[in-house]
Amino acid sequence: MTVLTLRESGWTAPKALLLDLDGTLYKGDTPIPGADKLIEEMTARGVPCWFVTNNSTRTPAQVAEHLHKMNIPASPGQVITSAQAAAEYAKRNFPGASVYLIGEHGIREALREARLSLADDREDAAADLVVQGIDRGLTYERLTAAVRHLLRGASYLLTNPDRLLPTGDGYLPGAGSIAALLEAASGVTPTVIGKPSPILMNYALERAGVAAADAWVVGDNPHTDIAAGQSAGSPTVLVLTGLCTEADWRQRCEAAGALPDAVCPGLEDLVDWITYGKIQREQHWKG
């Protein structure tokens, strides 16, 4: 099995890689083979790697530390989270807003760095904006407060729509599951920041300082990574390192309505393809 390209022509070397994390570079605390080699080789070739994640719980420094523990080279400045993108979106579109937050440390720090005011849980507290991510310490009282703010006219930002959060021993309800409750109770549909929304990808492209056509989006999930890359207008590469397998990737992509420009079985294949131009046409691929 080798690289499958579904785009007939127009491939040019990337000027940046926008890389998904969980399922693409690692699974939990285990690095995916070739992750370190990919970053090292791209860095040596002058192709910056940006780590783009829907996870809003960690700060960029915490994400970089997690990558370092798996010997994947990374600095906090290379990390782009849905929390950062949500805070920047709120700062630009709701200047001076009072924010009611449902979320954890990563999004709280991002909002503080954006100098946005956080509303407290007092009954008479007013909020112009509800910002919501995953919150594993969430209480019914805080859900109630968020619904009341929304019913009073507050706008609503959702860091990411993932309904399930994978863990080492199964799944937890994700930010999207909390959002389903808030939307059902309030009737307010949130603005989604994370993948598959192009908002996160456009923020990443702005940070990377490259045009969409020059940045390859690499990920394992057609519903989030590939769909977001396509929405932003970037070339997309599906790697069969997480969600999809050789047997089911096409079915999953069709279900997501997001067909990638290329499919790679692993990260080492991606390195070889970018480095040595080992491109095979679809009719030569046994997939």
Side-chain angles (χ1 to χ4, degrees):
M1 179 177 176
T2 185
V3 175
L4 163 63
T5 58
L6 304 179
R7 176 191 286 191
E8 289 297 323
S9 62
W11 283 103
T12 58
K15 294 183 180 178
L17 293 184
L18 304 184
L19 298 159
D20 176 55
L21 292 181
D22 205 349
T24 300
L25 296 182
Y26 59 77
K27 291 181 179 179
D29 296 322
T30 304
I32 287 170
D36 53 350
K37 180 182 177 183
L38 173 64
I39 307 306
E40 290 167 359
E41 182 64 31
M42 293 303 101
T43 301
R45 294 174 64 83
V47 178
C49 294
W50 298 85
F51 306 105
V52 184
T53 177
N54 267 4
N55 190 321
S56 66
T57 65
R58 291 172 173 162
T59 65
Q62 290 173 323
V63 173
E65 181 182 6
H66 183 59
L67 289 166
H68 267 292
K69 287 179 179 178
M70 294 178 285
N71 295 316
I72 301 173
S75 69
Q78 294 172 276
V79 176
I80 299 172
T81 70
S82 64
Q84 290 175 294
E88 182 63 22
Y89 186 92
K91 180 179 178 181
R92 292 182 182 182
N93 292 277
F94 303 93
S98 174
V99 178
Y100 188 77
L101 173 65
I102 289 181
E104 299 186 12
H105 179 65
I107 182 62
R108 185 175 296 275
E109 288 303 304
L111 291 170
R112 285 177 175 166
E113 289 178 8
R115 299 184 178 180
L116 291 164
S117 172
L118 296 180
D120 59 32
D121 288 316
R122 290 183 297 107
E123 178 71 25
D124 61 346
D128 307 299
L129 180 66
V130 172
V131 176
Q132 182 244 307
I134 192 171
D135 189 337
R136 289 165 289 191
L138 186 59
T139 64
Y140 192 79
E141 287 74 21
R142 297 190 62 242
L143 278 171
T144 301
V147 169
R148 287 175 176 167
H149 289 306
L150 292 171
L151 291 174
R152 292 168 185 162
S155 298
Y156 182 13
L157 299 185
L158 174 61
T159 60
N160 61 292
D162 304 77
R163 296 201 170 194
L164 290 174
L165 177 69
T167 66
D169 56 357
Y171 292 90
L172 296 175
S177 294
I178 298 172
L181 186 156
L182 291 180
E183 184 173 357
S186 69
V188 179
T189 300
T191 296
V192 177
I193 302 299
K195 299 176 281 187
S197 167
I199 294 175
L200 176 57
M201 303 310 295
N202 289 335
Y203 175 70
L205 290 167
E206 183 179 331
R207 286 270 304 272
V210 297
D214 295 324
W216 291 14
V217 174
V218 180
D220 71 299
N221 191 326
H223 293 271
T224 54
D225 308 316
I226 304 307
Q230 289 183 345
S231 295
S234 293
T236 56
V237 180
L238 178 72
V239 286
L240 307 182
T241 52
L243 180 66
C244 298
T245 67
E246 183 179 353
D248 69 9
W249 70 265
R250 192 180 293 274
Q251 180 181 359
R252 288 182 180 273
C253 288
E254 289 173 352
L259 192 67
D261 294 304
V263 183
C264 283
L267 298 180
E268 292 169 339
D269 304 277
L270 180 61
V271 173
D272 289 344
W273 182 39
I274 296 175
T275 305
Y276 305 112
K278 294 182 177 179
I279 301 176
Q280 300 292 326
R281 304 296 291 274
E282 182 171 4
Q283 58 265 34
H284 296 155
W285 196 69
K286 298 178 180 179

PDB file of all heavy atoms in Angstrom, residues 52-68:
ATOM      1  N   VAL A  52      -2.773  21.854  15.067  1.00  0.00           N
ATOM      2  CA  VAL A  52      -4.104  22.465  15.119  1.00  0.00           C
ATOM      3  C   VAL A  52      -5.075  21.478  15.762  1.00  0.00           C
ATOM      4  O   VAL A  52      -5.324  20.402  15.221  1.00  0.00           O
ATOM      5  CB  VAL A  52      -4.583  22.849  13.704  1.00  0.00           C
ATOM      6  CG1 VAL A  52      -5.917  23.583  13.781  1.00  0.00           C
ATOM      7  CG2 VAL A  52      -3.543  23.716  12.998  1.00  0.00           C
ATOM      8  N   THR A  53      -5.637  21.868  16.903  1.00  0.00           N
ATOM      9  CA  THR A  53      -6.464  20.928  17.658  1.00  0.00           C
ATOM     10  C   THR A  53      -7.798  21.525  18.074  1.00  0.00           C
ATOM     11  O   THR A  53      -7.886  22.713  18.411  1.00  0.00           O
ATOM     12  CB  THR A  53      -5.714  20.439  18.914  1.00  0.00           C
ATOM     13  OG1 THR A  53      -6.557  19.571  19.673  1.00  0.00           O
ATOM     14  CG2 THR A  53      -5.271  21.598  19.800  1.00  0.00           C
ATOM     15  N   ASN A  54      -8.820  20.696  18.057  1.00  0.00           N
ATOM     16  CA  ASN A  54     -10.130  21.074  18.574  1.00  0.00           C
ATOM     17  C   ASN A  54     -10.173  21.086  20.094  1.00  0.00           C
ATOM     18  O   ASN A  54     -11.106  21.623  20.689  1.00  0.00           O
ATOM     19  CB  ASN A  54     -11.196  20.104  18.061  1.00  0.00           C
ATOM     20  CG  ASN A  54     -11.864  20.581  16.789  1.00  0.00           C
ATOM     21  OD1 ASN A  54     -11.507  21.604  16.213  1.00  0.00           O
ATOM     22  ND2 ASN A  54     -12.853  19.826  16.324  1.00  0.00           N
ATOM     23  N   ASN A  55      -9.190  20.475  20.729  1.00  0.00           N
ATOM     24  CA  ASN A  55      -9.174  20.370  22.182  1.00  0.00           C
ATOM     25  C   ASN A  55      -9.029  21.763  22.803  1.00  0.00           C
ATOM     26  O   ASN A  55      -8.066  22.469  22.520  1.00  0.00           O
ATOM     27  CB  ASN A  55      -8.010  19.469  22.609  1.00  0.00           C
ATOM     28  CG  ASN A  55      -8.064  19.106  24.076  1.00  0.00           C
ATOM     29  OD1 ASN A  55      -8.403  19.922  24.923  1.00  0.00           O
ATOM     30  ND2 ASN A  55      -7.714  17.871  24.399  1.00  0.00           N
ATOM     31  N   SER A  56      -9.971  22.125  23.651  1.00  0.00           N
ATOM     32  CA  SER A  56      -9.936  23.450  24.283  1.00  0.00           C
ATOM     33  C   SER A  56      -9.511  23.388  25.744  1.00  0.00           C
ATOM     34  O   SER A  56      -9.511  24.406  26.432  1.00  0.00           O
ATOM     35  CB  SER A  56     -11.317  24.112  24.192  1.00  0.00           C
ATOM     36  OG  SER A  56     -12.274  23.390  24.959  1.00  0.00           O
ATOM     37  N   THR A  57      -9.145  22.202  26.236  1.00  0.00           N
ATOM     38  CA  THR A  57      -8.858  22.057  27.667  1.00  0.00           C
ATOM     39  C   THR A  57      -7.429  22.436  28.031  1.00  0.00           C
ATOM     40  O   THR A  57      -7.165  22.843  29.163  1.00  0.00           O
ATOM     41  CB  THR A  57      -9.113  20.617  28.129  1.00  0.00           C
ATOM     42  OG1 THR A  57      -8.180  19.738  27.485  1.00  0.00           O
ATOM     43  CG2 THR A  57     -10.521  20.180  27.792  1.00  0.00           C
ATOM     44  N   ARG A  58      -6.499  22.323  27.084  1.00  0.00           N
ATOM     45  CA  ARG A  58      -5.094  22.581  27.372  1.00  0.00           C
ATOM     46  C   ARG A  58      -4.634  23.901  26.783  1.00  0.00           C
ATOM     47  O   ARG A  58      -5.129  24.341  25.742  1.00  0.00           O
ATOM     48  CB  ARG A  58      -4.217  21.461  26.797  1.00  0.00           C
ATOM     49  CG  ARG A  58      -4.369  20.123  27.488  1.00  0.00           C
ATOM     50  CD  ARG A  58      -3.614  19.049  26.745  1.00  0.00           C
ATOM     51  NE  ARG A  58      -3.582  17.776  27.458  1.00  0.00           N
ATOM     52  CZ  ARG A  58      -3.303  16.615  26.905  1.00  0.00           C
ATOM     53  NH1 ARG A  58      -3.016  16.545  25.616  1.00  0.00           N
ATOM     54  NH2 ARG A  58      -3.296  15.512  27.621  1.00  0.00           N
ATOM     55  N   THR A  59      -3.658  24.516  27.438  1.00  0.00           N
ATOM     56  CA  THR A  59      -2.998  25.682  26.878  1.00  0.00           C
ATOM     57  C   THR A  59      -1.985  25.217  25.840  1.00  0.00           C
ATOM     58  O   THR A  59      -1.594  24.029  25.818  1.00  0.00           O
ATOM     59  CB  THR A  59      -2.268  26.475  27.965  1.00  0.00           C
ATOM     60  OG1 THR A  59      -1.197  25.655  28.482  1.00  0.00           O
ATOM     61  CG2 THR A  59      -3.216  26.871  29.093  1.00  0.00           C
ATOM     62  N   PRO A  60      -1.518  26.109  24.961  1.00  0.00           N
ATOM     63  CA  PRO A  60      -0.482  25.711  24.004  1.00  0.00           C
ATOM     64  C   PRO A  60       0.761  25.133  24.682  1.00  0.00           C
ATOM     65  O   PRO A  60       1.357  24.177  24.171  1.00  0.00           O
ATOM     66  CB  PRO A  60      -0.176  27.021  23.268  1.00  0.00           C
ATOM     67  CG  PRO A  60      -1.467  27.763  23.314  1.00  0.00           C
ATOM     68  CD  PRO A  60      -2.042  27.456  24.667  1.00  0.00           C
ATOM     69  N   ALA A  61       1.138  25.686  25.831  1.00  0.00           N
ATOM     70  CA  ALA A  61       2.309  25.164  26.542  1.00  0.00           C
ATOM     71  C   ALA A  61       2.074  23.730  26.998  1.00  0.00           C
ATOM     72  O   ALA A  61       2.976  22.882  26.930  1.00  0.00           O
ATOM     73  CB  ALA A  61       2.639  26.054  27.744  1.00  0.00           C
ATOM     74  N   GLN A  62       0.868  23.436  27.456  1.00  0.00           N
ATOM     75  CA  GLN A  62       0.555  22.075  27.888  1.00  0.00           C
ATOM     76  C   GLN A  62       0.521  21.107  26.713  1.00  0.00           C
ATOM     77  O   GLN A  62       0.957  19.964  26.834  1.00  0.00           O
ATOM     78  CB  GLN A  62      -0.784  22.070  28.625  1.00  0.00           C
ATOM     79  CG  GLN A  62      -0.745  22.749  29.981  1.00  0.00           C
ATOM     80  CD  GLN A  62      -2.115  22.885  30.610  1.00  0.00           C
ATOM     81  OE1 GLN A  62      -3.105  23.127  29.921  1.00  0.00           O
ATOM     82  NE2 GLN A  62      -2.180  22.729  31.922  1.00  0.00           N
ATOM     83  N   VAL A  63       0.016  21.559  25.563  1.00  0.00           N
ATOM     84  CA  VAL A  63       0.008  20.708  24.368  1.00  0.00           C
ATOM     85  C   VAL A  63       1.436  20.402  23.942  1.00  0.00           C
ATOM     86  O   VAL A  63       1.785  19.250  23.636  1.00  0.00           O
ATOM     87  CB  VAL A  63      -0.764  21.387  23.217  1.00  0.00           C
ATOM     88  CG1 VAL A  63      -0.629  20.576  21.933  1.00  0.00           C
ATOM     89  CG2 VAL A  63      -2.239  21.547  23.585  1.00  0.00           C
ATOM     90  N   ALA A  64       2.285  21.430  23.911  1.00  0.00           N
ATOM     91  CA  ALA A  64       3.679  21.233  23.509  1.00  0.00           C
ATOM     92  C   ALA A  64       4.403  20.289  24.469  1.00  0.00           C
ATOM     93  O   ALA A  64       5.188  19.429  24.043  1.00  0.00           O
ATOM     94  CB  ALA A  64       4.397  22.579  23.441  1.00  0.00           C
ATOM     95  N   GLU A  65       4.121  20.420  25.754  1.00  0.00           N
ATOM     96  CA  GLU A  65       4.735  19.527  26.745  1.00  0.00           C
ATOM     97  C   GLU A  65       4.304  18.085  26.511  1.00  0.00           C
ATOM     98  O   GLU A  65       5.123  17.154  26.605  1.00  0.00           O
ATOM     99  CB  GLU A  65       4.346  19.974  28.151  1.00  0.00           C
ATOM    100  CG  GLU A  65       4.965  19.116  29.252  1.00  0.00           C
ATOM    101  CD  GLU A  65       4.528  19.560  30.642  1.00  0.00           C
ATOM    102  OE1 GLU A  65       3.667  20.454  30.745  1.00  0.00           O
ATOM    103  OE2 GLU A  65       5.049  18.981  31.619  1.00  0.00           O
ATOM    104  N   HIS A  66       3.022  17.898  26.202  1.00  0.00           N
ATOM    105  CA  HIS A  66       2.511  16.549  25.930  1.00  0.00           C
ATOM    106  C   HIS A  66       3.213  15.948  24.715  1.00  0.00           C
ATOM    107  O   HIS A  66       3.596  14.767  24.724  1.00  0.00           O
ATOM    108  CB  HIS A  66       1.002  16.622  25.697  1.00  0.00           C
ATOM    109  CG  HIS A  66       0.341  15.298  25.476  1.00  0.00           C
ATOM    110  ND1 HIS A  66       0.371  14.282  26.397  1.00  0.00           N
ATOM    111  CD2 HIS A  66      -0.375  14.818  24.421  1.00  0.00           C
ATOM    112  CE1 HIS A  66      -0.293  13.234  25.935  1.00  0.00           C
ATOM    113  NE2 HIS A  66      -0.751  13.537  24.737  1.00  0.00           N
ATOM    114  N   LEU A  67       3.415  16.741  23.673  1.00  0.00           N
ATOM    115  CA  LEU A  67       4.116  16.269  22.480  1.00  0.00           C
ATOM    116  C   LEU A  67       5.575  15.939  22.802  1.00  0.00           C
ATOM    117  O   LEU A  67       6.112  14.925  22.346  1.00  0.00           O
ATOM    118  CB  LEU A  67       4.038  17.322  21.380  1.00  0.00           C
ATOM    119  CG  LEU A  67       2.652  17.505  20.743  1.00  0.00           C
ATOM    120  CD1 LEU A  67       2.607  18.785  19.918  1.00  0.00           C
ATOM    121  CD2 LEU A  67       2.288  16.311  19.875  1.00  0.00           C
ATOM    122  N   HIS A  68       6.221  16.784  23.591  1.00  0.00           N
ATOM    123  CA  HIS A  68       7.621  16.557  23.952  1.00  0.00           C
ATOM    124  C   HIS A  68       7.798  15.245  24.710  1.00  0.00           C
ATOM    125  O   HIS A  68       8.808  14.542  24.530  1.00  0.00           O
ATOM    126  CB  HIS A  68       8.143  17.714  24.801  1.00  0.00           C
ATOM    127  CG  HIS A  68       8.798  18.787  23.999  1.00  0.00           C
ATOM    128  ND1 HIS A  68       9.986  18.615  23.324  1.00  0.00           N
ATOM    129  CD2 HIS A  68       8.414  20.067  23.755  1.00  0.00           C
ATOM    130  CE1 HIS A  68      10.323  19.728  22.700  1.00  0.00           C
ATOM    131  NE2 HIS A  68       9.383  20.635  22.935  1.00  0.00           N
TER     132      HIS A  68
END
